Amino acid sequence: MKYSSFLIISAFLLSSCGTAFLKYDKEDQLKKIDEFDEKVKIVEPNATPTPTPSPAPTAGTVAIPTESKKDLMEGKSSTSKSTKSSSKKSAAATTTAAATATKKPAKSAKGKKAMATDAATEPTAEPSPTRRQPELEDDEGFTGRRPNVDPFRVGEEVIHDVNYFKVSAGTLRMKVDPYATVNGRKAYSFKIFISTSSLFSSFYSVEDSVDIFMDYESLVPSVFQLHVKESGQLREAKMLFNEKDNTATFWEKKVTKKDGVEEKKQNWEILPYTQNVYSAVYYMRFFKWEVGKEYSFRVANDNENLVFSGKALRKEVLDTKLGPMKAIVIQPNIMLKGKFKPIGDNLIWLSDDDRRYILRIEAKIKIGTLVSEVTEIKPGH
């Protein structure tokens, strides 16, 4: 993946490969990466979670019956009479002890002086950060890490027609699926699909997709899974971001006509609150994007730690197949090791509303310009 892969439509770069998808008789084996499967447990809404057996009670503990647990959750009590009696005795003893403990000690000048000294020497707690972390990110419109207005709705789908030299090259689809659970935590479930049109498939066939899971509270992308099916290659790639130790692990299995089967693994340290190149497409929609302001966030990709920076250039009315739409025009850049690395003469149009739909992408390549523009929006619910 190169920096331009942030603009996913770069997958439409043409090649001299054959028209049909690459055939591989062990294609199913590409999808299985044992180490990833051991580290990541994803439960999607349609999946049935594996029940976790309750541990056997250990010495000195009392197992609570299932119905009692339910009652406790609801604030009720289903204990037996003997248990209630014991509880009353314990409560009485506790009340007596508490009353004894709370009796006021005799006043003395010495005691007052000691109390004052203790108060003066007690360490003062450090104030909590006054703005959202990390500091390089704009905090307007957020309370902590969460946005005040969530731009995403389950069932949302934005569909683009991708053009090259004003000829339809394929389709780009960006979806918001029902929330998933990743390693026990609630997560957004995003999906991106890209496929070539029948005309362009005669040059190079593309049928790629990526699943992105982003933690609901921290907005950090815990996982992505990339599925590539093209004329020249078959590829499965997976990435895991570990928030606890701030590491990224990337696994890849690939088959090409030229090199056959290849495997790759990368592991490197990342900074807190880092996005990947695919989650960045969604993450940018959380920000307000006021004209003249520049917005930045961290991105980890290909064993490197980058900073995405986008400047809101202007507002305009974009003429689309859905009719005129108010939009904000953004110019993206990448910073690597403190230096800006231009990712070409590219522009992104976001809808000028709380949803911040991606309406249009322009990416200038070596020959011509790829243009991806919205043709359909399903707002979700």
Side-chain angles (χ1 to χ4, degrees), residues 3-5 7-13 162-165 314 330-332 342-349 360-372:
Y3 305 141
S4 58
S5 66
L7 302 174
I8 299 172
I9 58 175
S10 64
F12 282 100
L13 294 174
V162 182
N163 287 270
Y164 183 61
F165 283 111
R314 62 184 182 273
I330 297 166
Q331 185 170 42
I343 54 176
D345 191 4
N346 303 315
L347 294 173
I348 301 170
W349 282 254
R360 180 182 172 94
I361 304 172
E362 282 188 8
K364 289 192 176 181
I365 56 178
K366 290 182 179 179
I367 304 175
T369 302
L370 284 169
V371 177
S372 180

Side-chain angles (χ1 to χ4, degrees), residues 41-111:
K41 303 300 178 188
I42 300 172
V43 180
E44 299 189 63
N46 295 331
T48 303
T50 303
T52 303
S54 300
T58 56
T61 64
V62 178
I64 302 174
T66 304
E67 47 273 90
S68 298
K69 288 182 181 178
K70 181 180 178 183
D71 290 336
L72 288 171
M73 292 287 287
E74 296 174 353
K76 300 176 183 177
S77 175
S78 62
T79 53
S80 64
K81 291 182 179 179
S82 61
T83 305
K84 287 182 179 178
S85 177
S86 299
S87 299
K88 286 180 180 178
K89 290 179 181 178
S90 299
T94 303
T95 304
T96 304
T100 303
T102 54
K103 287 183 179 178
K104 295 182 180 179
K107 294 181 180 179
S108 69
K110 185 177 181 181

